[in-house]
Amino acid sequence: MAAAAQASTVKALHVLIADANARTLAARVRQLAAAGLQVSMAHSAFEAIVKASCRVPDLILLDQSLAGLDAATTGELLTTCPVTAHIPVYELAPGRKVPRRVLD
């Protein structure tokens, strides 16, 4: 019983994923949710920066095909902001699944 209570207090990792393509975003969200992660979505670089600053996820995934600011610039802004600087940021190849190494 104590183990069950302890397991229920374990918080799922929160991942923010930014992808301008609705189809690949939905597929990636399903993949992350199936891995037991809590997922927030952003459809643009600006939205990713705002959501990361407000919700402070454990991990940020940026599709390289983001419109507006590119993924590299967005990642740079996220790693220099005092609120989000500690969060690992990974760039994802456009249209591909989230790599296993990122999920482990």
Side-chain angles (χ1 to χ4, degrees), residues 24-97:
T24 57
L25 178 61
R28 288 170 169 168
V29 167
R30 283 191 302 273
Q31 179 189 8
L32 294 167
L37 304 171
Q38 178 188 353
V39 183
S40 293
M41 298 178 286
H43 301 281
S44 69
F46 178 76
E47 185 180 4
I49 292 167
V50 171
K51 286 188 173 183
S53 299
C54 294
R55 299 220 37 219
V56 192
D58 299 302
L59 176 66
I60 300 171
L61 304 174
L62 304 173
D63 187 89
Q64 290 177 340
S65 66
L66 282 175
L69 295 174
D70 62 18
T73 303
T74 304
E76 186 177 323
L77 290 170
L78 289 166
T79 57
T80 57
C81 173
V83 174
T84 59
H86 69 284
I87 304 169
V89 178
Y90 293 95
E91 289 186 31
L92 302 174
R96 302 257 176 116
K97 286 186 170 185

